[in-house]
Amino acid sequence: MKLLFLIVAYLVAVTLPLILSAWVGGPPRQFHQELASGLGILAFSMVLAEFILSGRFKAVSNGVGLDVTMRFHQIMARTALVFALLHPFLYQGTPSGGQRPWDPTRALTITTDFSVLSTGIAAFLLLPSLALLAIGRTQLDFKYETWRLLHGIGALLIAVLLLHHTVYAGRYGSQPVMSWVWLAMTGVAVGSLLTVYLLVPLLQKARPWRVTSTVRLTPKQWEVTVEPDGHRGLDYKAGQFVWLNVGHSAFSMKENPFSICSAPAAGPELSFMIKELGDFTRTLGQIKSGTVAYVDGPYGNLSVDGRAEPGVALIAGGVGLAPLLGILRQMRLTGDSREVKLIYGNRVIDQIAYREELSEEDVVYVLSEPPESWHGEVGFIDAALIDRVFSEKEVSEWVFVMCGPAIMMDIVEDHLIKRGTPSHRILSERFNYD
């Protein structure tokens, strides 16, 4: 229901300028000219909507899940790009040359005034560049904070360029009503960006956290724990995640998303299971107690709170254990009577974390490169393993919660649906782990 509401809200928002433009009207033109204007209008409104679909607004991402929000963000960005690239070429064959004596309002012609065309041309070049940088960020080996800053600045610049081009070069955008509509929509988009980059950090600065411990769990995995400094902490559900900034200014771009592996019932401290992957994670062992930290969250809907299923199936790959461990701990602390089974996969035995704590649970360990003395499951978390671990009744009645490599979750989700598990009983959160 939430997803349907958000889709309807999105469609209303992006088509509103198109509907209003049709209402404003004007002398009829050839179909390809109207199509060109329509695609341009849709492209601009979709670009502005992308600011809200950034994943940093809880009212959106927590309602349907960050996976869905970000995937929708990517698909709509690429759709807007196609519309924007087609837009100018559909004007081919249209009379041009600025205002004509027989068309003083430019209602039937396309201007060649370079001052208003230049902003459209600049946006036309920047938009695919921004999309390609986002798609190829991993391959280009950009630091996340560098890419995020460039992405934000690029999006802001494109919005301003398109606003100028639409209002001064567009047939419909030049109408007073439409000019105000575009100005208002651009203001909301820019305001959302300023909220993420300025307002949220400002609020975080008033609610700092302090590192209380940094513990090595495995050769390349750590547990970092922070406590609130002068405030009551964070209201969150087991399984959610936050953006964590350790040792930097509240306005720094050096923040990363980490799932909370502690339980709300355990108190205000937050613990994170973090694997060494990037520049920040390689310095975890150097973090000292008392180091200032900032937390933005909670985000995500990987939670079993309030669900009525008789059992909870947890499927983790590598450090994807973190949110599931938070769920396990919360269930234990609150006396939750539901049955629980955990499948926990890793490459080698040294990557298994919290083994002593997990000994109290019904856990199936899986190693893809096991030692000769290994007596657990061998290989990967796949359909055959799911069939061995879960009965037909459990597959049809339990809630399945998973986090780990995307390929693992794709295989498991497809198999569960094939075996009859309703999609609303499959919760997942996708991050990239090796």
Side-chain angles (χ1 to χ4, degrees), residues 194-205:
L194 295 178
T195 297
V196 171
Y197 283 83
L198 295 178
L199 180 58
V200 170
L202 191 62
L203 295 175
Q204 289 177 348
K205 191 172 179 61

Side-chain angles (χ1 to χ4, degrees), residues 92-368:
Q92 283 186 350
T94 302
S96 60
Q99 294 184 0
R100 303 299 180 94
W102 42 269
D103 184 23
T105 63
R106 291 190 293 121
L108 299 177
T109 64
I110 305 302
T111 182
T112 54
D113 183 352
F114 188 74
S115 65
V116 296
L117 288 178
S118 61
T119 49
I121 294 171
F124 182 88
L125 297 174
L126 278 174
L127 190 56
S129 301
L130 195 70
L132 290 173
L133 282 175
I135 294 170
R137 177 173 67 89
T138 303
Q139 291 79 359
L140 294 172
D141 199 26
F142 268 109
K143 289 183 179 180
Y144 172 75
E145 54 269 19
T146 302
W147 171 81
R148 184 186 169 200
L149 179 62
L150 291 175
H151 197 70
I153 293 174
L156 178 61
L157 183 57
I158 288 171
V160 173
L161 290 170
L162 288 177
L163 175 63
H164 178 270
H165 176 70
T166 300
V167 170
Y168 289 98
R171 177 197 190 192
Y172 297 106
S174 60
Q175 298 292 330
V177 172
M178 293 310 303
S179 295
W180 282 109
V181 168
W182 286 121
L183 186 62
M185 290 183 66
T186 304
V188 171
V190 173
S192 70
L193 194 68
L194 295 178
T195 297
V196 171
Y197 283 83
L198 295 178
L199 180 58
V200 170
L202 191 62
L203 295 175
Q204 289 177 348
K205 191 172 179 61
R207 294 171 57 86
W209 297 68
R210 297 284 174 180
V211 175
T212 58
S213 66
T214 304
V215 179
R216 185 187 291 274
L217 299 172
T218 70
K220 287 196 173 184
Q221 294 180 110
W222 299 77
E223 182 183 81
V224 176
T225 301
V226 299
E227 65 177 4
D229 184 5
H231 57 94
R232 59 182 293 271
L234 186 70
D235 183 15
Y236 71 100
K237 295 179 181 179
Q240 290 189 298
F241 73 95
V242 302
W243 291 81
L244 179 66
N245 171 350
V246 177
H248 302 285
S249 162
F251 298 92
S252 173
M253 295 288 173
K254 295 182 178 180
E255 58 175 359
N256 296 275
F258 295 116
S259 294
I260 305 169
C261 67
S262 52
E269 286 191 335
L270 301 179
S271 294
F272 306 93
M273 178 185 176
I274 303 174
K275 182 177 180 179
E276 293 183 15
L277 286 174
D279 292 342
F280 163 67
T281 56
R282 293 193 185 100
T283 64
L284 289 171
Q286 303 170 21
I287 298 174
K288 297 180 180 179
S289 294
T291 299
V292 67
Y294 297 100
V295 170
D296 176 24
Y299 295 96
N301 65 343
L302 206 66
S303 169
V304 298
D305 290 3
R307 299 189 68 100
E309 291 88 355
V312 179
L314 305 173
I315 303 173
V319 76
L321 174 68
L324 310 191
L325 182 62
I327 292 172
L328 266 178
R329 288 171 166 173
Q330 180 71 1
M331 293 180 70
R332 189 186 305 141
L333 288 172
T334 58
D336 196 313
S337 60
R338 286 175 291 182
E339 290 186 72
V340 181
K341 288 184 181 180
L342 168 65
I343 297 179
Y344 179 22
N346 284 285
R347 184 172 60 86
V348 296
I349 194 169
D350 286 346
Q351 292 177 338
I352 299 177
Y354 300 104
R355 195 167 186 178
E356 184 175 341
E357 179 180 347
L358 293 176
S359 64
E360 305 174 21
E361 310 293 341
D362 185 356
V363 183
V364 176
Y365 294 100
V366 187
L367 294 181
S368 59

